[in-house]
Coordinates of all heavy atoms in Angstrom, one line a residue:
M1 N 100.9 66.5 191.6 CA 101.8 65.8 190.8 C 102.8 65.0 191.7 O 102.5 63.8 191.7 CB 102.6 66.9 190.2 CG 103.8 66.4 189.2 SD 104.6 67.5 188.4 CE 106.0 67.8 189.4
A2 N 103.6 65.5 192.5 CA 104.6 64.7 193.2 C 103.8 64.0 194.3 O 104.2 62.7 194.6 CB 105.7 65.5 193.8
S3 N 102.8 64.6 194.8 CA 102.1 63.9 196.0 C 101.4 62.6 195.5 O 101.3 61.6 196.1 CB 101.1 64.8 196.6 OG 100.0 65.2 195.7
N4 N 100.8 62.6 194.2 CA 100.2 61.5 193.6 C 101.2 60.3 193.5 O 101.0 59.3 193.8 CB 99.5 61.8 192.3 CG 98.2 62.6 192.5 OD1 97.7 62.6 193.5 ND2 98.0 63.3 191.3
S5 N 102.4 60.6 192.8 CA 103.3 59.6 192.7 C 103.9 59.1 194.0 O 104.1 58.0 194.1 CB 104.5 60.1 191.6 OG 105.1 61.1 192.2
M6 N 104.2 60.0 194.9 CA 104.7 59.6 196.1 C 103.7 58.7 196.9 O 104.2 57.8 197.5 CB 105.1 60.9 197.0 CG 106.3 61.5 196.5 SD 106.9 62.8 197.5 CE 107.8 61.8 198.7
S7 N 102.5 59.0 196.9 CA 101.5 58.2 197.5 C 101.4 56.8 196.9 O 101.3 55.8 197.5 CB 100.1 58.8 197.7 OG 99.6 58.9 196.3
A8 N 101.5 56.8 195.6 CA 101.6 55.5 194.8 C 102.8 54.7 195.2 O 102.7 53.5 195.4 CB 101.7 55.8 193.4
Y9 N 103.9 55.3 195.4 CA 105.1 54.5 196.0 C 105.1 54.2 197.4 O 105.2 53.1 197.9 CB 106.4 55.3 195.6 CG 107.7 54.6 196.1 CD1 108.1 53.4 195.6 CD2 108.4 55.0 197.2 CE1 109.1 52.6 195.9 CE2 109.4 54.1 197.7 CZ 109.8 53.1 197.1 OH 110.9 52.4 197.5
G10 N 104.7 55.2 198.2 CA 104.7 55.0 199.6 C 103.6 54.3 200.2 O 103.8 53.5 201.2
S11 N 102.5 54.3 199.6 CA 101.4 53.6 200.2 C 100.4 52.9 199.2 O 99.2 52.7 199.3 CB 100.5 54.5 201.1 OG 99.9 55.5 200.1
G12 N 101.1 52.5 198.0 CA 100.4 51.9 197.0 C 100.0 50.5 197.4 O 99.9 50.1 198.5
S13 N 99.8 49.5 196.4 CA 99.4 48.2 196.6 C 100.5 47.4 197.1 O 100.3 46.2 197.5 CB 98.7 47.6 195.4 OG 99.5 47.7 194.3
W14 N 101.7 47.9 197.1 CA 102.8 47.0 197.6 C 102.9 47.1 199.1 O 102.7 48.2 199.8 CB 104.1 47.6 197.0 CG 104.3 47.2 195.5 CD1 103.4 47.2 194.6 CD2 105.6 47.0 194.9 NE1 103.9 46.8 193.4 CE2 105.2 46.7 193.6 CE3 106.8 46.9 195.3 CZ2 106.2 46.3 192.6 CZ3 107.8 46.6 194.3 CH2 107.5 46.4 193.0
T15 N 103.3 46.0 199.8 CA 103.3 46.1 201.2 C 104.7 46.6 201.7 O 105.6 46.9 200.8 CB 103.3 44.7 201.8 OG1 104.3 43.8 201.3 CG2 102.0 43.9 201.3
V16 N 104.8 46.9 202.9 CA 106.1 47.4 203.4 C 107.1 46.3 203.2 O 108.3 46.6 202.7 CB 106.1 47.7 204.9 CG1 107.5 47.9 205.5 CG2 105.1 48.8 205.1
K17 N 106.8 45.1 203.3 CA 107.8 44.0 203.1 C 108.3 44.0 201.6 O 109.4 43.8 201.3 CB 107.2 42.7 203.4 CG 108.1 41.4 203.4 CD 107.5 40.2 203.8 CE 108.3 39.1 203.6 NZ 107.8 37.8 204.1
Q18 N 107.4 44.2 200.6 CA 107.6 44.3 199.2 C 108.5 45.4 198.9 O 109.5 45.2 198.1 CB 106.3 44.2 198.4 CG 105.6 42.9 198.3 CD 104.3 43.0 197.6 OE1 103.6 43.8 197.8 NE2 104.2 42.1 196.5
N19 N 108.2 46.5 199.5 CA 109.0 47.7 199.2 C 110.5 47.5 199.7 O 111.3 47.9 199.1 CB 108.3 49.0 199.9 CG 107.3 49.6 199.0 OD1 107.4 49.8 197.8 ND2 106.2 50.0 199.6
K20 N 110.7 46.9 200.8 CA 112.0 46.6 201.3 C 112.7 45.7 200.4 O 113.8 45.8 200.1 CB 112.0 46.0 202.8 CG 111.7 47.1 203.8 CD 112.8 48.1 203.9 CE 112.5 49.1 204.9 NZ 113.4 50.3 204.9
A21 N 112.0 44.5 200.0 CA 112.6 43.6 199.0 C 112.8 44.4 197.6 O 113.9 44.1 197.1 CB 111.7 42.5 198.9
F22 N 112.1 45.3 197.3 CA 112.3 46.0 196.1 C 113.7 46.9 196.1 O 114.5 46.9 195.3 CB 111.1 47.0 195.9 CG 111.3 47.9 194.6 CD1 111.2 47.4 193.3 CD2 111.3 49.2 194.9 CE1 111.2 48.2 192.2 CE2 111.3 50.0 193.7 CZ 111.3 49.6 192.4
E23 N 113.8 47.5 197.4 CA 114.9 48.3 197.6 C 116.2 47.4 197.5 O 117.2 47.8 196.9 CB 114.8 49.1 198.9 CG 113.8 50.1 198.8 CD 113.5 50.7 200.3 OE1 114.2 50.4 201.2 OE2 112.5 51.5 200.2
R24 N 116.1 46.4 198.1 CA 117.3 45.4 198.2 C 117.6 44.9 196.8 O 118.7 44.7 196.3 CB 117.0 44.3 199.1 CG 117.2 44.6 200.6 CD 117.2 43.3 201.5 NE 116.0 42.6 201.3 CZ 115.0 42.7 202.1 NH1 114.8 43.8 203.0 NH2 113.8 41.9 201.9
A25 N 116.6 44.5 196.1 CA 116.7 44.1 194.7 C 117.4 45.0 193.8 O 118.2 44.8 192.9 CB 115.4 43.5 194.1
L26 N 116.9 46.4 193.9 CA 117.5 47.4 193.1 C 119.0 47.4 193.5 O 119.8 47.8 192.5 CB 116.8 48.8 193.4 CG 115.3 48.9 192.8 CD1 114.9 50.2 193.2 CD2 115.3 48.6 191.3
A27 N 119.4 47.4 194.7 CA 120.8 47.4 195.0 C 121.5 46.2 194.4 O 122.8 46.3 194.1 CB 121.0 47.4 196.5
T28 N 120.8 45.0 194.3 CA 121.5 43.8 193.9 C 121.6 43.8 192.3 O 122.6 43.4 191.7 CB 120.7 42.6 194.4 OG1 120.7 42.6 195.8 CG2 121.3 41.4 193.9
Y29 N 120.5 44.1 191.6 CA 120.4 44.1 190.2 C 120.4 45.5 189.6 O 119.5 46.2 189.5 CB 119.1 43.4 189.8 CG 118.9 42.0 190.4 CD1 118.0 41.7 191.5 CD2 119.8 40.9 190.0 CE1 117.8 40.4 191.9 CE2 119.6 39.7 190.6 CZ 118.7 39.4 191.6 OH 118.5 38.3 192.1
D30 N 121.6 46.0 189.3 CA 121.8 47.2 188.7 C 121.3 47.3 187.2 O 120.9 46.4 186.7 CB 123.2 47.8 188.8 CG 124.2 47.0 187.9 OD1 123.8 46.2 187.0 OD2 125.4 47.2 188.1
Q31 N 121.4 48.4 186.7 CA 120.9 48.7 185.3 C 121.6 47.9 184.2 O 121.0 47.7 183.1 CB 121.1 50.2 184.9 CG 122.4 50.7 184.9 CD 122.5 52.2 184.6 OE1 121.5 53.0 184.8 NE2 123.5 52.8 184.5
D32 N 122.8 47.3 184.5 CA 123.5 46.4 183.5 C 123.0 45.0 183.6 O 123.6 44.2 182.9 CB 125.0 46.7 183.7 CG 125.4 48.1 183.2 OD1 124.7 48.7 182.4 OD2 126.3 48.6 184.0
T33 N 122.3 44.6 184.6 CA 121.9 43.3 184.9 C 120.9 42.8 183.8 O 119.9 43.4 183.5 CB 121.3 43.1 186.3 OG1 122.1 43.6 187.3 CG2 121.0 41.6 186.5
P34 N 121.3 41.6 183.1 CA 120.4 41.2 182.1 C 119.1 40.7 182.8 O 119.1 40.2 184.0 CB 121.1 39.8 181.6 CG 122.5 40.1 181.9 CD 122.6 40.9 183.2
D35 N 117.9 41.0 182.2 CA 116.6 40.6 182.7 C 116.4 41.2 184.2 O 115.9 40.6 185.0 CB 116.4 39.1 182.8 CG 116.5 38.4 181.5 OD1 116.0 39.0 180.5 OD2 117.1 37.3 181.4
R36 N 116.8 42.4 184.3 CA 116.8 43.2 185.6 C 115.4 43.1 186.2 O 115.3 42.8 187.4 CB 117.3 44.6 185.4 CG 117.2 45.4 186.7 CD 117.5 46.9 186.4 NE 117.8 47.5 187.7 CZ 117.9 48.8 187.9 NH1 117.8 49.6 186.8 NH2 118.1 49.3 189.0
W37 N 114.4 43.5 185.5 CA 113.0 43.6 186.0 C 112.4 42.3 186.3 O 111.8 42.2 187.3 CB 112.1 44.4 185.1 CG 112.8 45.8 184.9 CD1 113.2 46.3 183.8 CD2 113.1 46.6 185.9 NE1 113.8 47.6 184.1 CE2 113.8 47.8 185.3 CE3 112.9 46.8 187.3 CZ2 114.2 48.9 186.2 CZ3 113.3 47.8 188.1 CH2 114.0 48.9 187.5
Y38 N 112.8 41.2 185.6 CA 112.4 39.8 185.9 C 113.0 39.4 187.3 O 112.4 38.9 188.1 CB 112.8 38.9 184.8 CG 112.6 37.5 185.2 CD1 111.4 36.8 185.2 CD2 113.7 36.7 185.8 CE1 111.3 35.4 185.5 CE2 113.6 35.4 186.2 CZ 112.4 34.8 186.1 OH 112.1 33.4 186.6
N39 N 114.3 39.7 187.5 CA 114.9 39.5 188.7 C 114.4 40.2 189.9 O 114.3 39.7 191.0 CB 116.5 39.7 188.6 CG 117.2 38.7 187.7 OD1 116.8 37.5 187.7 ND2 118.0 39.1 186.8
V40 N 114.2 41.5 189.7 CA 113.6 42.4 190.8 C 112.2 41.8 191.1 O 111.9 41.6 192.3 CB 113.5 43.9 190.3 CG1 112.8 44.6 191.2 CG2 114.9 44.5 190.2
A41 N 111.4 41.5 190.1 CA 110.1 41.0 190.4 C 110.1 39.7 191.2 O 109.3 39.5 192.1 CB 109.3 40.9 189.1
R42 N 111.0 38.8 190.8 CA 111.1 37.6 191.4 C 111.6 37.7 192.9 O 111.0 37.1 193.8 CB 112.1 36.7 190.8 CG 112.3 35.3 191.3 CD 113.1 34.4 190.3 NE 114.5 35.1 190.2 CZ 115.7 34.7 190.2 NH1 115.9 33.4 190.6 NH2 116.8 35.5 190.1
A43 N 112.5 38.7 193.2 CA 113.0 39.0 194.5 C 111.9 39.6 195.3 O 111.8 39.3 196.6 CB 114.2 39.9 194.4
V44 N 111.0 40.5 194.8 CA 110.0 41.1 195.5 C 108.8 40.1 195.8 O 108.4 40.0 196.9 CB 109.4 42.3 194.7 CG1 108.1 42.8 195.3 CG2 110.4 43.4 194.6
G45 N 108.5 39.2 194.9 CA 107.4 38.3 195.1 C 106.0 39.0 194.8 O 105.8 40.0 195.2
G46 N 105.1 38.3 194.1 CA 103.8 38.7 193.9 C 103.6 39.8 193.0 O 102.7 40.5 193.0
T47 N 104.6 40.0 192.2 CA 104.6 41.1 191.1 C 105.2 40.7 189.9 O 105.9 39.6 189.8 CB 105.3 42.4 191.6 OG1 105.1 43.5 190.8 CG2 106.8 42.2 191.8
T48 N 104.9 41.5 188.8 CA 105.5 41.1 187.5 C 106.7 42.1 187.1 O 106.8 43.0 187.8 CB 104.4 41.3 186.4 OG1 104.2 42.7 186.3 CG2 103.1 40.5 186.7
P49 N 107.4 41.7 186.2 CA 108.5 42.5 185.7 C 108.0 43.9 185.2 O 108.6 44.9 185.7 CB 109.2 41.8 184.5 CG 108.9 40.3 184.8 CD 107.5 40.4 185.4
D50 N 106.8 44.0 184.6 CA 106.3 45.3 184.2 C 105.9 46.1 185.5 O 106.1 47.3 185.4 CB 105.1 45.1 183.3 CG 105.4 44.7 181.9 OD1 106.6 44.8 181.5 OD2 104.5 44.1 181.3
E51 N 105.4 45.5 186.5 CA 105.0 46.1 187.7 C 106.3 46.7 188.4 O 106.2 47.8 189.0 CB 104.2 45.4 188.6 CG 102.8 45.1 188.1 CD 102.0 44.0 188.9 OE1 102.8 43.1 189.5 OE2 100.8 43.9 188.8
A52 N 107.3 45.9 188.5 CA 108.5 46.3 189.1 C 109.1 47.5 188.4 O 109.6 48.5 189.0 CB 109.5 45.1 189.2
K53 N 109.2 47.5 187.1 CA 109.6 48.7 186.4 C 108.8 49.8 186.5 O 109.4 50.9 186.7 CB 109.6 48.2 184.8 CG 110.0 49.5 183.9 CD 111.6 49.8 184.0 CE 111.9 50.6 182.9 NZ 111.9 52.1 183.2
R54 N 107.4 49.8 186.6 CA 106.6 50.7 186.8 C 106.9 51.4 188.2 O 106.9 52.6 188.4 CB 105.1 50.4 186.7 CG 104.1 51.4 186.6 CD 102.7 51.1 186.2 NE 102.4 49.6 186.4 CZ 102.2 48.7 185.5 NH1 102.5 49.0 184.3 NH2 101.8 47.5 185.9
Q55 N 107.0 50.5 189.2 CA 107.4 51.0 190.6 C 108.7 51.8 190.7 O 108.8 52.8 191.3 CB 107.5 49.8 191.6 CG 107.6 50.1 193.0 CD 106.3 50.5 193.6 OE1 105.3 50.9 193.1 NE2 106.4 50.5 195.0
Y56 N 109.7 51.3 189.8 CA 111.0 52.0 189.7 C 110.8 53.4 189.0 O 111.3 54.4 189.5 CB 111.9 51.1 188.8 CG 113.2 51.9 188.7 CD1 114.2 51.9 189.7 CD2 113.5 52.5 187.5 CE1 115.3 52.4 189.5 CE2 114.7 53.1 187.3 CZ 115.7 53.2 188.4 OH 116.9 53.8 188.1
D57 N 109.9 53.5 188.0 CA 109.7 54.7 187.4 C 109.1 55.7 188.3 O 109.5 57.0 188.3 CB 108.9 54.5 186.1 CG 109.6 53.8 185.0 OD1 110.8 53.8 185.0 OD2 108.9 53.2 184.2
I58 N 108.2 55.3 189.1 CA 107.5 56.1 190.1 C 108.5 56.7 191.1 O 108.6 57.9 191.4 CB 106.4 55.4 190.9 CG1 105.2 55.1 189.9 CG2 105.8 56.1 192.1 CD1 104.2 54.2 190.5
L59 N 109.4 55.7 191.5 CA 110.5 56.1 192.5 C 111.4 57.2 192.0 O 111.8 58.2 192.5 CB 111.3 54.8 192.9 CG 112.4 55.1 193.9 CD1 112.0 55.7 195.2 CD2 113.1 53.7 194.1
V60 N 111.8 57.0 190.7 CA 112.7 58.0 190.0 C 112.0 59.3 190.0 O 112.6 60.4 190.2 CB 113.1 57.4 188.6 CG1 113.7 58.5 187.8 CG2 114.0 56.2 188.7
R61 N 110.7 59.3 189.6 CA 110.0 60.6 189.5 C 109.9 61.3 190.9 O 110.1 62.5 191.0 CB 108.5 60.4 188.9 CG 108.6 60.2 187.4 CD 107.1 60.5 186.9 NE 106.2 59.6 187.5 CZ 105.8 58.3 187.1 NH1 106.4 57.9 186.1 NH2 104.9 57.7 187.7
D62 N 109.7 60.5 191.9 CA 109.6 61.0 193.3 C 111.0 61.6 193.7 O 111.0 62.8 194.3 CB 109.2 59.9 194.3 CG 107.7 59.6 194.2 OD1 107.0 60.3 193.6 OD2 107.4 58.5 194.8
I63 N 112.1 60.9 193.5 CA 113.4 61.4 193.7 C 113.7 62.7 193.0 O 114.2 63.7 193.5 CB 114.5 60.3 193.5 CG1 114.3 59.2 194.4 CG2 115.8 60.9 193.6 CD1 115.1 57.9 194.2
E64 N 113.3 62.7 191.7 CA 113.6 64.0 191.0 C 112.8 65.1 191.5 O 113.2 66.3 191.5 CB 113.2 63.7 189.5 CG 114.2 62.8 188.8 CD 113.8 62.4 187.4 OE1 112.6 62.5 187.0 OE2 114.6 61.8 186.7
S65 N 111.6 64.8 191.9 CA 110.7 65.9 192.6 C 111.3 66.5 193.8 O 111.4 67.7 194.1 CB 109.3 65.4 192.9 OG 108.6 65.2 191.7
I66 N 111.9 65.6 194.6 CA 112.5 65.9 195.9 C 113.9 66.7 195.6 O 114.1 67.8 196.0 CB 112.9 64.7 196.7 CG1 111.6 64.1 197.3 CG2 113.8 65.2 197.9 CD1 111.7 62.7 197.8
E67 N 114.6 66.3 194.6 CA 115.8 66.9 194.3 C 115.6 68.3 193.6 O 116.5 69.2 193.8 CB 116.7 66.0 193.2 CG 117.3 64.8 193.8 CD 118.1 64.0 192.8 OE1 117.9 64.3 191.7 OE2 118.9 63.1 193.3
N68 N 114.5 68.4 192.9 CA 114.2 69.7 192.3 C 113.5 70.6 193.2 O 113.1 71.8 192.8 CB 113.3 69.5 191.1 CG 114.1 68.9 190.0 OD1 115.4 69.0 189.8 ND2 113.5 67.9 189.2
G69 N 113.3 70.3 194.4 CA 112.7 71.2 195.5 C 111.3 71.3 195.5 O 110.7 72.2 196.0
H70 N 110.6 70.3 194.7 CA 109.2 70.4 194.7 C 108.5 69.7 195.9 O 107.2 69.8 196.1 CB 108.6 69.6 193.5 CG 109.2 70.3 192.2 ND1 108.3 70.8 191.2 CD2 110.4 70.4 191.7 CE1 109.0 71.3 190.2 NE2 110.3 71.1 190.5
V71 N 109.2 69.1 196.7 CA 108.7 68.5 198.0 C 109.5 69.1 199.1 O 110.6 68.9 199.2 CB 109.0 67.0 198.0 CG1 108.4 66.3 199.3 CG2 108.3 66.3 196.8
P72 N 108.7 69.8 200.0 CA 109.3 70.7 201.1 C 109.9 69.6 202.2 O 109.4 68.5 202.3 CB 108.2 71.4 201.8 CG 107.1 70.7 201.2 CD 107.3 70.0 200.0
F73 N 111.0 69.9 202.8 CA 111.5 69.2 203.9 C 110.5 69.3 205.0 O 110.1 70.3 205.3 CB 112.9 69.6 204.3 CG 114.0 69.1 203.4 CD1 114.4 69.9 202.3 CD2 114.6 67.9 203.5 CE1 115.4 69.6 201.4 CE2 115.6 67.5 202.8 CZ 115.9 68.3 201.6
P74 N 110.3 68.1 205.8 CA 109.4 68.2 206.9 C 110.0 69.0 208.0 O 111.3 69.2 208.2 CB 109.2 66.8 207.4 CG 110.4 66.1 206.7 CD 110.8 66.8 205.5
N75 N 109.2 69.7 208.8 CA 109.6 70.6 209.9 C 109.5 69.6 211.2 O 108.5 69.7 211.9 CB 108.8 71.8 210.0 CG 109.3 72.7 211.1 OD1 110.5 72.6 211.5 ND2 108.5 73.6 211.4
Y76 N 110.6 68.9 211.4 CA 110.5 68.0 212.5 C 110.7 68.8 213.8 O 111.4 69.6 214.0 CB 111.8 67.0 212.4 CG 111.7 66.0 211.3 CD1 112.6 66.1 210.3 CD2 110.7 65.1 211.3 CE1 112.6 65.2 209.2 CE2 110.6 64.3 210.2 CZ 111.6 64.2 209.1 OH 111.5 63.4 208.2
K77 N 109.8 68.3 214.7 CA 109.7 68.9 216.1 C 110.8 68.1 217.0 O 110.7 66.7 216.9 CB 108.4 68.9 216.7 CG 107.5 69.9 216.0 CD 106.2 70.0 216.7 CE 105.2 70.6 215.8 NZ 105.1 71.9 215.9
T78 N 111.7 68.7 217.6 CA 112.6 68.0 218.5 C 112.3 68.1 219.9 O 111.7 69.0 220.3 CB 114.1 68.3 218.2 OG1 114.2 69.7 218.5 CG2 114.4 68.2 216.7
T79 N 112.8 67.2 220.6 CA 112.7 67.3 222.1 C 114.2 67.4 222.7 O 115.0 66.8 222.1 CB 112.0 66.0 222.8 OG1 112.7 64.8 222.4 CG2 110.6 65.9 222.3
G80 N 114.3 68.2 223.6 CA 115.7 68.3 224.3 C 116.4 69.4 223.5 O 116.0 70.4 223.2
G81 N 117.9 69.1 223.3 CA 118.7 70.1 222.8 C 118.5 70.6 221.4 O 117.6 70.0 220.8
S82 N 119.1 71.6 221.0 CA 119.0 72.2 219.7 C 119.6 71.3 218.7 O 120.7 70.9 218.7 CB 119.6 73.6 219.7 OG 119.6 74.1 218.5
T83 N 118.8 71.2 217.6 CA 119.3 70.4 216.5 C 119.2 71.3 215.2 O 119.4 70.8 214.1 CB 118.6 69.1 216.2 OG1 117.2 69.4 216.0 CG2 118.8 68.2 217.5
K84 N 118.9 72.6 215.4 CA 118.7 73.4 214.3 C 119.8 73.3 213.2 O 119.6 73.1 212.0 CB 118.4 74.8 214.6 CG 116.9 75.2 214.3 CD 116.9 76.7 214.6 CE 115.4 77.3 214.5 NZ 114.5 76.6 213.9
G85 N 121.0 73.5 213.7 CA 122.2 73.5 212.7 C 122.3 72.2 212.0 O 122.6 72.0 210.9
R86 N 122.1 71.0 212.9 CA 122.3 69.8 212.2 C 121.2 69.6 211.2 O 121.5 68.9 210.2 CB 122.1 68.7 213.3 CG 122.6 67.4 212.9 CD 122.7 66.3 214.0 NE 121.4 66.0 214.6 CZ 121.2 65.9 215.8 NH1 122.2 66.1 216.7 NH2 120.1 65.6 216.2
L87 N 119.9 69.9 211.5 CA 118.9 69.7 210.5 C 119.2 70.6 209.2 O 118.9 70.1 208.1 CB 117.6 70.1 211.1 CG 117.0 69.1 212.1 CD1 115.7 69.7 212.7 CD2 116.9 67.7 211.6
R88 N 119.7 71.8 209.2 CA 120.0 72.6 208.3 C 121.1 72.0 207.4 O 121.1 71.9 206.2 CB 120.5 73.9 208.7 CG 120.4 75.0 207.7 CD 120.6 76.4 208.2 NE 119.6 76.8 209.2 CZ 120.0 77.2 210.4 NH1 121.3 77.2 210.8 NH2 119.1 77.4 211.4
D89 N 122.1 71.3 208.1 CA 123.2 70.7 207.3 C 122.7 69.4 206.6 O 123.0 69.1 205.5 CB 124.2 70.2 208.3 CG 125.1 71.4 208.8 OD1 125.0 72.6 208.3 OD2 125.8 71.2 209.9
E90 N 121.7 68.7 207.2 CA 121.1 67.6 206.5 C 120.3 68.0 205.4 O 120.4 67.4 204.3 CB 120.3 66.8 207.6 CG 119.6 65.5 207.0 CD 120.6 64.5 206.8 OE1 121.7 64.5 207.3 OE2 120.2 63.6 206.0
E91 N 119.6 69.1 205.4 CA 118.8 69.6 204.3 C 119.8 69.9 203.2 O 119.5 69.6 202.0 CB 118.0 70.8 204.8 CG 117.1 71.3 203.5 CD 116.4 72.5 204.0 OE1 116.0 72.7 205.2 OE2 115.8 73.2 203.2
K92 N 120.9 70.7 203.4 CA 121.8 70.9 202.4 C 122.4 69.7 201.8 O 122.6 69.6 200.6 CB 122.9 71.8 203.1 CG 122.6 73.2 203.3 CD 123.9 74.0 203.9 CE 123.4 75.2 204.6 NZ 124.6 75.8 205.4
R93 N 122.7 68.7 202.6 CA 123.3 67.5 202.1 C 122.2 66.8 201.1 O 122.6 66.3 200.1 CB 123.7 66.5 203.3 CG 124.6 65.5 203.0 CD 125.2 64.8 204.1 NE 124.5 64.8 205.3 CZ 124.8 65.4 206.4 NH1 125.9 66.3 206.5 NH2 124.2 65.4 207.6
M94 N 121.0 66.7 201.6 CA 120.0 66.1 200.8 C 119.7 66.8 199.4 O 119.5 66.1 198.5 CB 118.6 66.2 201.5 CG 118.7 65.1 202.8 SD 118.9 63.5 202.4 CE 117.3 63.1 201.7
R95 N 119.8 68.1 199.4 CA 119.6 68.9 198.3 C 120.8 68.6 197.3 O 120.6 68.7 195.9 CB 119.5 70.4 198.5 CG 118.3 70.7 199.1 CD 118.0 72.2 199.2 NE 116.8 72.7 199.9 CZ 115.7 72.6 199.5 NH1 115.5 72.0 198.3 NH2 114.7 72.9 200.3
N96 N 122.0 68.1 197.8 CA 123.1 68.0 196.8 C 123.1 66.5 196.4 O 124.0 66.2 195.6 CB 124.4 68.4 197.7 CG 124.6 69.9 197.7 OD1 124.1 70.7 196.9 ND2 125.1 70.3 198.9
M97 N 122.3 65.7 196.9 CA 122.4 64.2 196.5 C 121.7 64.2 195.1 O 120.7 64.8 194.7 CB 121.5 63.4 197.4 CG 122.1 63.2 198.7 SD 121.0 62.3 199.9 CE 121.2 60.7 199.1
K98 N 122.2 63.3 194.3 CA 121.8 63.1 192.9 C 121.5 61.6 192.7 O 122.2 60.8 193.2 CB 122.9 63.7 191.9 CG 123.2 65.1 192.0 CD 121.9 65.9 191.5 CE 122.3 67.4 191.6 NZ 121.1 68.1 191.7
L99 N 120.5 61.4 191.9 CA 120.1 60.0 191.6 C 121.1 59.5 190.5 O 121.5 60.2 189.5 CB 118.8 60.0 190.9 CG 118.1 58.7 190.4 CD1 118.1 57.8 191.6 CD2 116.8 58.9 189.8
Q100 N 121.6 58.3 190.7 CA 122.5 57.8 189.8 C 121.9 56.6 189.1 O 121.0 55.9 189.4 CB 123.8 57.3 190.5 CG 124.5 58.5 191.1 CD 125.8 58.0 191.7 OE1 126.4 57.0 191.3 NE2 126.3 58.7 192.6

């Protein structure tokens, strides 16, 4: 479930450059912006308003899966000093984040 949608967002047909442009466009054109998906698609380039909206819907589902604990936090290996407490704090902080 989540892995399918996450792979669609993370490694779908959009390039890294398009994904970055998509993220910037979402920050620029909020939900109250008239013709939001047209503007987002234009900012991304090479995509349609419907594709931009579909990409957003996938992103929202992925975030909801993460927030609901359906995606485990990665077990990062560290080099050097102990970061266990810091990673635990980061995990708590991530679990308390909410999609707006």
Side-chain angles (χ1 to χ4, degrees):
M1 179 177 95
S3 63
N4 288 343
S5 63
M6 289 188 76
S7 63
Y9 177 72
S11 63
S13 59
W14 286 33
T15 65
V16 171
K17 185 177 178 180
Q18 285 177 308
N19 275 316
K20 286 294 181 188
F22 177 69
E23 292 169 5
R24 282 192 303 273
L26 289 178
T28 302
Y29 305 109
D30 68 9
Q31 62 189 10
D32 297 326
T33 301
D35 299 320
R36 180 185 195 191
W37 302 116
Y38 170 81
N39 289 318
V40 170
R42 189 174 47 136
V44 170
T47 189
T48 67
D50 287 339
E51 290 168 338
K53 174 70 167 94
R54 196 167 25 253
Q55 187 80 344
Y56 177 77
D57 291 340
I58 291 168
L59 176 61
V60 168
R61 281 195 307 271
D62 288 347
I63 292 170
E64 287 172 347
S65 292
I66 292 166
E67 288 178 346
N68 291 327
H70 297 248
V71 178
F73 282 93
N75 187 14
Y76 293 113
K77 296 186 191 273
T78 61
T79 57
S82 173
T83 59
K84 245 189 188 341
R86 192 171 69 222
L87 290 176
R88 200 171 303 121
D89 291 342
E90 182 66 19
E91 181 175 342
K92 288 178 191 174
R93 202 169 23 256
M94 292 295 291
R95 288 195 188 280
N96 291 325
M97 291 177 64
K98 296 293 177 198
L99 178 64
Q100 295 188 22

